[in-house]
Amino acid sequence: KHLLSFVDNHDVTRIATILTDKGCLRPIYGLLFGMPGVPSVYYGSEWGMEGDKRNGDPTLRPAVEKPEENDLTAWIAVAVCDAVEQVIGERPGIKWTNDIILHQKKLCGILTELSLEGESGALQYVVAGIGINVSQSAEDFGEEVSQVAISLEQALGRTIRRADLAAAVIRSLDRLDQDFPAKKADYLARYRADCLTTGHEVRLIRKGESRTAFAESIDDDFALVVRWSDGTRETITAGDVSVRGLLGYV
């Protein structure tokens, strides 16, 4: 027989609701996995899902249609904009959904890989790939790529210390780690403010077919809301289509 260890379960208030300091969530799970016995994680609690037992079983055992991590790439885009602004004194924008834009050209791309446990859907890990162009010249990019890409040194005309930039990115990601998912409203508002895609005509490429639409807004899940020529609207998720501007890369 093995002792099962847990910090919450389906019959008690979730740990994120109990904590007065949400920053303690990760250290608590570190303690759980270091304790004797078999660590048991109740689905959703490891990424901050809340639920108060006083409000009944539905709040403790909600159906989860999709993990909160689905919009994590957008959060990371905001964090990267914070870091770049801190280092160069100028805030870049975001081309929906995961490209960082400076002076109308691509400065950085972001790819987020995550793994979910098969049965529970619980998050196992997240790996963020962040590639910021720091010192490339137009010659480094080549004739074709230089039309759509830019480096910090090209934009500013001066050298940027990689160590300073790396430190700023790490600090921003650390803040994100503390903020996620409780401060979604703040990150959503900043993402909407930074997004360069909305308010413009865009070309949506889906399964080889291209259509033009007007990018109206970012919805509450960081998806792109577009309006077609017939007046109908559609919500576009990152996996649906490739979005291109009609005038240049953005």
Side-chain angles (χ1 to χ4, degrees):
K1 294 182 179 180
H2 299 281
L3 174 69
L4 295 179
S5 304
F6 51 83
V7 297
D8 61 11
N9 58 48
H10 63 288
D11 278 329
V12 300
T13 297
R14 287 183 181 263
I15 187 64
T17 301
I18 296 172
L19 290 174
T20 56
D21 181 356
K22 305 303 182 185
C24 292
L25 185 65
R26 290 182 181 271
I28 281 177
Y29 279 101
L31 289 172
L32 174 65
F33 278 80
M35 293 170 56
V38 179
S40 302
V41 179
Y42 186 45
Y43 79 99
S45 287
E46 76 281 10
W47 42 269
M49 181 183 287
E50 298 196 24
D52 194 321
K53 181 176 175 61
R54 293 173 297 181
N55 296 328
D57 286 348
T59 61
L60 298 178
R61 311 170 190 177
V64 180
E65 295 181 359
K66 60 180 181 179
E68 292 286 345
E69 287 73 25
N70 280 2
D71 55 32
L72 187 55
T73 299
W75 287 63
I76 294 171
V78 173
V80 171
C81 287
D82 290 345
V84 172
E85 182 180 27
Q86 178 186 343
V87 172
I88 73 171
E90 179 180 350
R91 190 168 185 84
I94 301 170
K95 174 183 172 291
W96 187 89
T97 177
N98 60 344
D99 285 345
I100 306 303
I101 304 298
L102 187 65
H103 299 179
Q104 297 296 305
K105 292 186 177 182
K106 182 175 179 177
L107 175 70
C108 169
I110 301 169
L111 292 176
T112 304
E113 178 182 336
L114 61 88
S115 176
L116 303 177
E117 200 281 324
E119 295 185 3
S120 68
L123 178 68
Q124 292 181 312
Y125 63 81
V126 175
V127 178
I130 303 169
I132 303 176
N133 299 327
V134 178
S135 59
Q136 295 94 329
S137 65
E139 291 72 23
D140 292 328
F141 286 127
E143 182 177 355
E144 182 176 352
V145 176
S146 64
Q147 301 302 310
V148 296
I150 196 170
S151 71
L152 290 174
E153 290 193 9
Q154 278 183 301
L156 303 174
R158 59 183 173 87
T159 301
I160 298 296
R161 294 185 69 245
R162 293 175 183 270
D164 292 340
L165 181 62
V169 171
I170 291 170
R171 285 193 294 268
S172 288
L173 293 177
D174 186 59
R175 286 193 297 270
L176 185 157
D177 184 41
Q178 300 299 316
D179 293 342
F180 187 86
K183 293 187 178 181
K184 179 177 180 178
D186 174 54
Y187 279 76
L188 178 60
R190 289 194 284 155
Y191 187 92
R192 285 168 170 163
D194 290 335
C195 186
L196 303 174
T197 305
T198 51
H200 301 283
E201 296 283 337
V202 294
R203 185 170 68 253
L204 281 72
I205 304 171
R206 176 187 286 155
K207 297 181 180 179
E209 296 184 359
S210 176
R211 294 182 64 189
T212 300
F214 183 79
E216 282 198 337
S217 62
I218 303 297
D219 77 1
D220 290 346
D221 292 315
F222 297 90
L224 180 66
V225 179
V226 301
R227 185 179 72 246
W228 299 108
S229 58
D230 62 3
T232 60
R233 290 175 173 81
E234 183 178 353
T235 299
I236 308 297
T237 61
D240 282 343
V241 296
S242 176
V243 178
R244 294 288 183 267
L246 296 184
L247 300 174
Y249 180 72
V250 179

